[in-house]
Amino acid sequence: LKVVKKVEIERIGGLLKNAVKSLWPRASCVVFGSVETGLNLPESDVDYVIFLPEVHRMSLSRTVGSVENFDEESVYTVLERRLVKEDWVKNVKSVGSARAVKVIKINTLEGIDVDVTF
């Protein structure tokens, strides 16, 4: 495993935030977990949570949890499709199911592992 340095974490965080903002300009992307608390090991992955803005509609959503204009398409699918186009991403995949918390796992070209959830 690669030893992750703070400057690399900040750079990757900026790249992830740019990708997220390209999809959802009002979203925020926040680091959490062991990196945030300072309890991370040198080879720890970096965890991010994405907060999407509250959506106000004149009519009720067709499904519970639907977001803005994505209808049946998952925000995870939308973000995963965007991340595969990024030149800093080596590979990306969603882990989980509709019944459990999903995580998008990213491996960067620098060998840094990043987990993203909503």
Side-chain angles (χ1 to χ4, degrees):
L1 293 172
K2 178 178 174 58
V3 175
V4 180
K5 296 186 170 91
K6 184 175 180 176
V7 67
E8 293 171 317
I9 292 170
E10 290 172 355
R11 189 180 81 75
I12 295 300
L15 294 169
L16 176 62
K17 288 174 186 179
N18 288 342
V20 169
K21 293 276 189 185
S22 74
L23 296 169
W24 306 289
R26 297 182 305 136
S28 60
C29 185
V30 179
V31 67
F32 74 102
S34 62
V35 169
E36 172 63 20
T37 63
L39 298 174
N40 58 308
L41 299 173
E43 66 275 1
S44 292
D45 65 356
V46 184
D47 301 304
Y48 285 91
V49 63
I50 297 170
F51 296 100
L52 296 176
E54 187 174 339
V55 177
H56 299 282
R57 293 178 179 236
M58 297 304 289
S59 61
L60 295 175
S61 295
R62 287 180 280 153
T63 60
V64 173
S66 65
V67 177
E68 296 192 285
N69 299 318
F70 296 117
D71 297 318
E72 300 299 317
E73 189 170 35
S74 162
V75 291
Y76 291 91
T77 303
V78 171
L79 181 57
E80 187 175 5
R81 190 173 358 154
R82 177 66 175 89
L83 289 171
V84 298
K85 297 176 183 177
E86 293 289 319
D87 60 4
W88 55 273
V89 173
K90 183 176 179 180
N91 57 51
V92 59
K93 68 177 180 175
S94 288
V95 178
S97 67
R99 295 183 184 174
V101 173
K102 273 190 163 179
V103 174
I104 296 177
K105 295 195 153 294
I106 304 167
N107 183 261
T108 68
L109 291 175
E110 295 88 354
I112 298 171
D113 294 324
V114 179
D115 291 347
V116 178
T117 193
F118 288 83

